[in-house]
Amino acid sequence: MKHSPLVKKAINGDEAAFETLIKKESEKLYKTAFLYVKNKEDALDVLQETIYKAFISINQVKKPEYFYTWLTKILIRTAYELLRKRKKVIYDENLIHHKPETEGNQDVEAKMDLLNAISQLSEQYQTVIILFYYQDLPIHQIAETMGKPENTVKTYLRRAKKELKHYIEGVHHCGQRALS
């Protein structure tokens, strides 16, 4: 990984190195958290809790090149913990309230349909879609993050795409909007 020397320093207790690593990855981590919890406040809570958990357990990282994979695992578990506590579907209020009054509405509606469709998937399928399409992680890194064989990840990805397509086509075919 590109941050390997910094990771080694952080593992050895260098707080400034840990802070630098987190700053470099914070935007990507926030976006990932947001995709799971669907609102700014909860995404920030998940990010803060993830950073705390990572800080107190950084010495568990065995190989510096897997630091980001390890951090992503913590983030995903933390996001699901929050969602389980809330036990409700959270819609993206920002998209609803700030809809532009132009032809861009179709684009916003399509994004809302997609976010809603992703939230309907199982945890494994959500994770595969988010890591592959939103984080641009390769299959082998997703497999490492999820603790699954690469072929299982490929199967999850194929099935998740099929479910998303079915869900989105169903929403548009029935003439309904995902958030009506």
Side-chain angles (χ1 to χ4, degrees):
M1 181 177 182
K2 58 187 174 199
H3 306 309
S4 221
L6 273 178
V7 174
K8 288 176 184 174
K9 287 180 181 179
I11 291 170
N12 291 325
D14 185 332
E15 291 179 17
F18 180 82
E19 186 177 343
T20 302
L21 285 168
I22 295 301
K23 283 180 180 176
K24 287 182 178 184
E25 300 296 340
S26 64
E27 186 176 338
K28 196 178 220 183
L29 291 168
Y30 170 78
K31 287 178 181 179
T32 302
F34 188 89
L35 288 166
Y36 280 98
V37 298
K38 313 287 187 291
N39 73 60
K40 180 181 174 181
E41 293 77 18
D42 286 343
L44 290 170
D45 286 347
V46 166
L47 182 58
Q48 184 177 357
E49 184 69 17
T50 298
I51 292 168
Y52 170 74
K53 288 176 180 178
F55 182 74
I56 62 172
S57 59
I58 183 96
N59 59 340
Q60 293 177 6
V61 177
K62 303 296 181 225
K63 295 183 177 181
E65 62 269 20
Y66 292 122
F67 172 77
Y68 185 69
T69 301
W70 173 79
L71 192 58
T72 302
K73 281 182 186 179
I74 294 172
L75 181 93
I76 292 167
R77 283 194 303 265
T78 303
Y80 280 123
E81 285 170 14
L82 182 120
L83 290 174
R84 277 191 280 279
K85 286 179 189 172
R86 301 275 160 84
K87 289 192 178 183
K88 65 178 182 177
V89 176
I90 301 169
Y91 296 106
D92 183 355
E93 294 174 19
N94 293 329
L95 284 178
I96 295 167
H97 294 304
H98 300 318
K99 263 179 148 173
E101 299 295 327
T102 64
E103 294 173 0
N105 279 355
Q106 287 180 332
D107 190 42
V108 170
E109 286 179 16
K111 286 180 183 176
M112 290 188 324
D113 286 348
L114 181 59
L115 286 173
N116 192 42
I118 290 170
S119 73
Q120 301 300 313
L121 297 173
S122 70
E123 286 185 15
Q124 291 100 340
Y125 292 2
Q126 281 183 30
T127 297
V128 167
I129 291 292
I130 290 169
L131 295 179
F132 189 77
Y133 288 105
Y134 292 91
Q135 292 236 348
D136 296 321
L137 293 183
I139 296 292
H140 72 88
Q141 197 169 354
I142 296 170
E144 176 68 31
T145 300
M146 295 180 71
K148 303 280 183 194
E150 286 185 32
N151 284 335
T152 300
V153 169
K154 290 175 186 176
T155 300
Y156 285 173
L157 187 59
R158 189 181 72 252
R159 290 178 181 169
K161 289 192 293 189
K162 187 176 179 181
E163 281 188 28
L164 283 174
K165 182 179 178 189
H166 176 74
Y167 181 83
I168 291 170
E169 285 175 353
V171 167
H172 290 294
H173 183 68
C174 295
Q176 297 174 331
R177 287 188 20 225
L179 300 176
S180 351

